[in-house]
Amino acid sequence: MKEVKRIMVAATVAVMALTAAGCSSSSSSSSSKSSSKVYKIGICQLVQHEALDAATKGFKEEVTKELGKSHVKFDTQNAQGDSSTATTICNNFASENEDLILGNATASLQAASAATKSIPILETAVTNYQVALNLKKFNGTVGSNISGTSDLAPLDKQEKR
């Protein structure tokens, strides 16, 4: 689980840094903790489950540790196992223009992907991105605003991509 948290944090920080760099006209390179920016992160978890709960908790802890408690605001919502509720949640995150959407489980990935093509989406607990997103060709990266980890072992090989 520690490896998954490390991968998620690295991906999140990279996505946020790229987003901030793309929106910033300043050439200064101050760290996230020294800026006044508060990142809004919407989290859509498909269902309450020990493994999914642990992934969401670990993500929030590591992002908070990296950015600082005063620089991140989480909106964590649970779809209660209903994919149409996940769609509503992710559509709301998109309309609220969250800085990042974390989807936790395949239905959350599909809902977030349908909701936005511009907001960075980070996913966890997805077994097969190619099947989930109906991708014709898949080389291990989605090639859009989506990144994340698969729950398909081995995790160490995913980190190298």
Side-chain angles (χ1 to χ4, degrees):
M1 186 51 114
K2 196 168 204 152
E3 185 72 13
V4 172
K5 284 198 288 187
R6 192 170 64 78
I7 292 168
M8 295 287 290
V9 169
T12 300
V13 172
V15 167
M16 288 181 168
L18 289 173
T19 301
C23 297
S24 173
S25 60
S26 170
S27 61
S28 71
S29 60
S30 62
S31 73
S32 299
K33 288 183 182 178
S34 65
S35 83
S36 61
K37 170 80 173 158
V38 176
Y39 293 96
K40 299 182 307 176
I41 300 176
I43 300 174
C44 179
Q45 183 171 316
L46 180 62
V47 66
Q48 187 172 0
H49 180 276
E50 185 178 338
L52 300 181
D53 294 346
T56 295
K57 180 180 182 223
F59 171 80
K60 290 168 76 173
E61 287 173 356
E62 293 299 316
V63 169
T64 301
K65 187 184 332 176
E66 184 68 30
L67 297 177
K69 189 175 184 176
S70 63
H71 296 286
V72 64
K73 180 178 184 262
F74 297 104
D75 182 356
T76 306
Q77 297 188 36
N78 190 307
Q80 303 300 319
D82 183 19
S83 59
S84 64
T85 301
T87 297
T88 300
I89 291 168
C90 290
N91 284 338
N92 286 338
F93 290 157
S95 70
E96 293 169 9
N97 201 27
E98 300 286 0
D99 293 302
L100 178 83
I101 297 172
L102 173 71
N104 192 341
T106 301
S108 297
L109 163 65
Q110 293 165 331
S113 175
T116 181
K117 300 298 181 214
S118 59
I119 297 172
I121 300 168
L122 191 59
E123 283 295 321
T124 190
V126 175
T127 302
N128 189 323
Y129 281 81
Q130 184 173 13
V131 172
L133 296 172
N134 196 26
L135 301 172
K136 304 250 184 284
K137 293 182 180 182
F138 184 69
N139 64 0
T141 59
V142 175
S144 65
N145 61 323
I146 300 169
S147 186
T149 58
S150 169
D151 55 14
L152 188 63
L155 293 176
D156 61 333
K157 290 184 180 174
Q158 293 180 49
E159 179 182 16
K160 293 177 183 173
R161 291 187 184 182

